[in-house]
Amino acid sequence: MSLLEGIRGPRDLDALTVDQLGELAAEIRDFLVREVSKTGGHLGPNLGVVELTIAMHRVFDSPKDAIIFDTGHQSYVHKLLTGRQDFSRLRSEGGLAGYPQRSESPHDIVESSHASSSLSWADGISRSFAMTGQSNRSVVAVVGDGALTGGMTWEALNNITDDNSRNLVIIVNDNGRSYAPTIGGMAHFLNNVRTRRSYRSLYSTSRRAFEKFGAPGRALYRGIRGGMHGFLSRFTNNEALYSNLDIKYLGPVHGHDLRALIEVLEQAKNYGAPVIVHAITEKGRGYQPALLDTADQFHAVGQIDPETGEPIEVASKPSWTSVFADEIVHLADGNPKLVGITAAMLRPTGLHKFAEKYPDRVLDVGIAEQHAVTSAAGLAFGGLHPVVALYATFVNRAFDQVLMDVALHKAGVTFVLDRAGVTGPDGASHHGMWDLAILQVVPNIRIAAPRDATRLREELGEAVLVEDAPTVIRFSKGSVGTEFEAVRRTADGVDVLREAPHKDVLIVTVGPMAKIGLQVAERLAAQGIGATVVDPRWVVPVPESLIGLAAEHRIVISIEDGVRVGGIGTRIRQDLRAGGVDTAVTELGLPDEFLEHGSREYILEQVGLTPQDIARDVVAQVLGSKIPVARPLPDDAPVSPRTHPA
């Protein structure tokens, strides 16, 4: 039996020698490459924290001691050490989540994978322990160096250092990267620490010197190592980083040296006040294909060949992201006012090609969405047109800035929201399902949801011409779907995708839900029910022609992959009433729940957004057996659907 197979919980580590822990680390790396290559997932970040996670669980007593990851994509090793070694369905329905999840284990504390929040969690938990007399419990926050670019981190540090009598350890996992290399002044400082010759030479020279004396020398080296870390940090001026925070700094420590990590974490645990431990690690460590990947060192991978790191399957169609990446460069070629902004996700959001061609026109502000949005408002005031590219789930963090800094000031800023709707394997915190409901309350905002690649190019071009209000383009994760050409386009831009001779049902589809809408219409036609299918293209504000079409039909069905509470369907219903149209509206979308991880198809099926489910309900509404009931036919002649199922 391997060492890893013998680990059922963190305390099993206590029986292993440090050398055996090193063997365990090698086994874990082999396991991660073998298993994650089958399922896909966050490989590079986890390869970089193997020794760090082993050392944490050796020194601290989880779950009595609370361990918080920022962000949770680096928690695979933590899962392995806390008894979760079945990775066969990682990030799939019924399998392990890709992030910490309380329903999986009491060792998982924080489920949200939005970066830079861990120190606020740690502040609250440690204060709670102190206020309730639980002085024997520690709190450990593992913060990737990229998270230090987020404002919440510094707000939390400010409060942590105002009350420095708690058992709180902050581990800065410094690998120089978030997704891609970390940017900003903080990154420059840490990069200097990481590469400074004085640190590297002192560390390696002292170790070699003591190694010459054999076992006694190694023992002496280990004994003085804690003091050595302090000396090195002072000598290389690392403490200057935290000098004004009144917080103890230990490091930098080699993030793959188990003895060093265990010793420095024991010092931190016993200090009795907040401590920052600065660990220098290597993302993708031990796996050459990851180390050679200059883009993101295998931050997240699909199914790959474990030997070569090459993808097993290559998408036959371009992704939504790649279509945007090419089109924004095309638009920038003809419009020098266009600039790009992203929050530590240059490549994932598709701005990398823009940055490669026009490096002075693309800004990466780090994990700081709020700053990105307000900075964009400033750029617009100065005469530019910013395009802010974010994942849809992360625009939630900057709502106030969209509302008060962009919209209130009538700033021409375009927001491009990638991974909108159901994203699948990354679970609750990564589904981009709230953007439509949240953003449509912003006055004068205009929101577009392209159904295919052609419409993405078209709507993006329209968005960047708007100079007096925020515009939003939102699209899905993965490959673009089938191109659906319109039968006709109304004067105000609504695409009619299908029309029937008799107007029973108007199906309004949002973005990629056009495919489902057309499939529903086919099923209804087989039942003798006429359906018109439209894609508004710009779903907010509701186009006038859509209100006119609704008045001509017996019932309206809206289909969106956003939360239906306050969604586009709700907006349509309200605008119909305001326009004096009494056609009933059925608003189909996602429930106001936190949806688990699983494939997009599986999740849509679970929530009833399939052609069969929708068509069955529409038939019942047309027949008058389900609310809302369709208006009667003008001549009161009932529709008689055929007997075979929808």
Side-chain angles (χ1 to χ4, degrees):
M1 184 173 68
S2 68
L3 290 173
L4 179 57
E5 290 172 324
I7 302 297
R8 292 291 174 264
R11 297 286 51 84
D12 291 332
L13 298 174
D14 297 344
L16 303 181
T17 66
V18 175
D19 288 340
Q20 287 176 314
L21 293 178
E23 295 174 21
L24 175 63
E27 290 182 11
I28 289 175
R29 283 199 171 86
D30 289 342
F31 177 95
L32 290 174
V33 172
R34 182 177 66 251
E35 296 299 321
V36 178
S37 66
K38 299 174 185 176
T39 62
H42 290 96
L43 183 56
N46 286 284
L47 292 173
V49 297
V50 175
E51 290 85 3
L52 182 59
T53 309
I54 291 173
M56 283 194 303
H57 278 296
R58 172 70 166 244
V59 173
F60 295 95
D61 185 16
S62 175
K64 174 187 172 184
D65 295 329
I67 296 178
I68 304 163
F69 289 90
D70 190 340
T71 64
H73 61 240
Q74 56 188 334
S75 64
Y76 292 5
V77 185
H78 164 77
K79 288 176 184 269
L80 289 173
L81 299 179
T82 53
R84 290 167 280 175
Q85 296 184 12
D86 181 4
F87 273 46
S88 61
R89 296 188 60 78
L90 177 69
R91 302 165 72 243
S92 297
E93 51 269 18
L96 290 178
Y99 295 89
Q101 188 162 304
R102 288 182 176 181
S103 61
E104 281 184 11
S105 172
H107 296 277
D108 291 359
I109 307 297
V110 178
E111 297 189 16
S112 172
S113 55
H114 288 193
S116 306
S117 63
S118 65
L119 297 194
S120 296
W121 271 97
D123 177 49
I125 294 172
S126 62
R127 285 182 189 275
S128 176
F129 287 171
M131 294 170 70
T132 55
Q134 301 181 73
S135 58
N136 62 338
R137 302 182 70 180
S138 296
V139 179
V140 183
V142 185
V143 184
D145 68 299
L148 295 178
T149 62
M152 276 187 72
T153 296
W154 296 97
E155 293 173 25
L157 275 172
N158 182 55
N159 281 273
I160 288 169
T161 57
D162 185 54
D163 176 12
N164 57 6
S165 60
R166 293 171 278 158
N167 298 325
L168 172 56
V169 178
I170 301 165
I171 300 174
V172 178
N173 172 33
D174 177 12
N175 61 20
R177 309 177 76 88
S178 48
Y179 281 79
T182 311
I183 62 91
M186 177 63 61
H188 292 314
F189 185 96
L190 292 177
N191 189 56
N192 287 336
V193 172
R194 221 173 9 269
T195 59
R196 194 170 289 143
R197 186 184 300 273
S198 55
Y199 166 71
R200 289 187 290 110
S201 61
L202 276 171
Y203 183 90
S204 58
T205 302
S206 61
R207 181 165 189 162
R208 286 196 302 270
F210 283 105
E211 287 282 354
K212 292 179 181 178
F213 296 98
R218 287 192 293 272
L220 180 60
Y221 176 75
R222 289 194 299 271
I224 68 169
R225 186 184 309 221
M228 179 68 75
H229 288 316
F231 169 72
L232 290 177
S233 66
R234 287 190 296 273
F235 186 85
T236 54
N237 198 35
N238 298 339
E239 289 191 1
L241 179 60
Y242 305 102
S243 61
N244 294 321
L245 293 176
D246 190 25
I247 189 168
K248 180 67 175 176
Y249 171 86
L250 296 176
V253 60
H254 193 307
H256 303 290
D257 185 327
L258 276 162
R259 285 189 172 87
L261 287 167
I262 290 170
E263 289 166 10
V264 75
L265 290 178
E266 285 176 342
Q267 291 178 34
K269 180 179 180 179
N270 296 325
Y271 187 68
V275 178
I276 289 177
V277 175
H278 181 184
I280 296 178
T281 62
E282 183 179 39
K283 189 174 183 179
R285 186 173 179 91
Y287 186 44
Q288 196 65 14
L291 296 175
L292 294 176
D293 179 32
T294 57
D296 63 6
Q297 291 184 300
F298 281 24
H299 179 84
V301 297
Q303 293 180 316
I304 60 172
D305 182 331
E307 297 298 324
T308 65
E310 292 296 322
I312 291 177
E313 293 185 5
V314 178
S316 58
K317 295 182 178 180
S319 68
W320 289 97
T321 308
S322 67
V323 174
F324 164 70
D326 291 335
E327 187 62 20
I328 191 64
V329 173
H330 171 70
L331 293 172
D333 288 341
N335 184 352
K337 293 170 58 179
L338 285 186
V339 294
I341 304 178
T342 191
M345 302 185 77
L346 191 70
R347 185 172 293 272
T349 59
L351 279 181
H352 59 293
K353 290 186 177 180
F354 190 1
E356 289 165 3
K357 189 167 186 179
Y358 299 107
D360 295 335
R361 292 168 60 184
V362 177
L363 309 172
D364 185 343
V365 301
I367 303 175
E369 291 85 359
Q370 294 171 309
H371 167 63
V373 173
T374 301
S375 178
L379 288 165
F381 176 77
L384 300 173
H385 189 105
V387 177
V388 182
L390 305 169
Y391 280 8
T393 183
F394 296 138
V395 79
N396 303 350
R397 312 181 78 176
F399 172 75
D400 182 67
Q401 287 71 28
V402 174
L403 180 67
M404 292 299 174
D405 294 322
V406 176
L408 178 64
H409 294 87
K410 297 181 173 59
V413 177
T414 295
F415 296 93
V416 174
L417 304 184
D418 202 326
R419 273 72 163 177
V422 174
T423 57
D426 286 329
S429 63
H430 268 54
H431 291 306
M433 56 187 280
W434 293 281
D435 59 307
L436 292 173
I438 289 174
L439 293 178
Q440 70 163 304
V441 304
V442 175
N444 301 315
I445 199 167
R446 306 177 199 185
I447 303 176
R451 66 180 181 268
D452 53 35
T454 297
R455 259 46 65 173
L456 170 54
R457 299 185 188 98
E458 185 178 75
E459 291 160 31
L460 180 63
E462 295 169 6
V464 299
L465 296 178
V466 177
E467 298 294 352
D468 60 352
T471 54
V472 178
I473 307 290
R474 53 108 63 183
F475 48 79
S476 301
K477 179 181 180 180
S479 300
V480 295
T482 306
E483 296 270 330
F484 296 112
E485 294 301 328
V487 175
R488 62 184 177 90
R489 177 171 291 180
T490 66
D492 56 359
V494 174
D495 278 352
V496 179
L497 305 182
R498 177 181 176 130
E499 286 185 291
H502 42 290
K503 299 179 179 180
D504 295 313
V505 182
L506 175 65
I507 301 175
V508 183
T509 63
V510 176
M513 306 307 281
K515 180 179 181 180
I516 291 178
L518 289 167
Q519 291 171 337
V520 170
E522 290 176 5
R523 289 175 177 268
L524 295 178
Q527 299 289 325
I529 298 173
T532 300
V533 182
V534 299
D535 168 17
R537 297 174 61 256
W538 289 87
V539 295
V540 174
V542 176
E544 285 293 326
S545 65
L546 188 59
I547 297 173
L549 286 167
E552 298 171 358
H553 287 75
R554 300 173 58 201
I555 191 169
V556 175
I557 311 295
S558 66
I559 310 175
E560 59 191 293
D561 60 347
V563 63
R564 63 175 173 260
V565 177
I568 299 304
T570 302
R571 180 74 168 246
I572 292 171
R573 177 166 50 80
Q574 292 173 343
D575 281 19
L576 290 184
R577 300 301 172 266
V581 176
D582 64 354
T583 309
V585 179
T586 296
E587 303 131 23
L588 299 179
L590 303 175
D592 53 336
E593 301 170 3
F594 291 110
L595 303 178
E596 299 292 344
H597 56 281
S599 68
R600 176 180 169 89
E601 293 73 20
Y602 171 80
I603 292 172
L604 291 179
E605 181 180 351
Q606 292 299 109
V607 301
L609 289 180
T610 67
Q612 183 173 350
D613 290 332
I614 296 171
R616 185 185 296 116
D617 287 345
V618 173
V619 169
Q621 290 164 350
V622 170
L623 289 175
S625 61
K626 183 171 182 176
I627 295 174
V629 174
R631 278 199 305 241
L633 290 168
D635 57 2
D636 294 324
V639 174
S640 300
R642 299 170 189 170
T643 56
H644 60 268

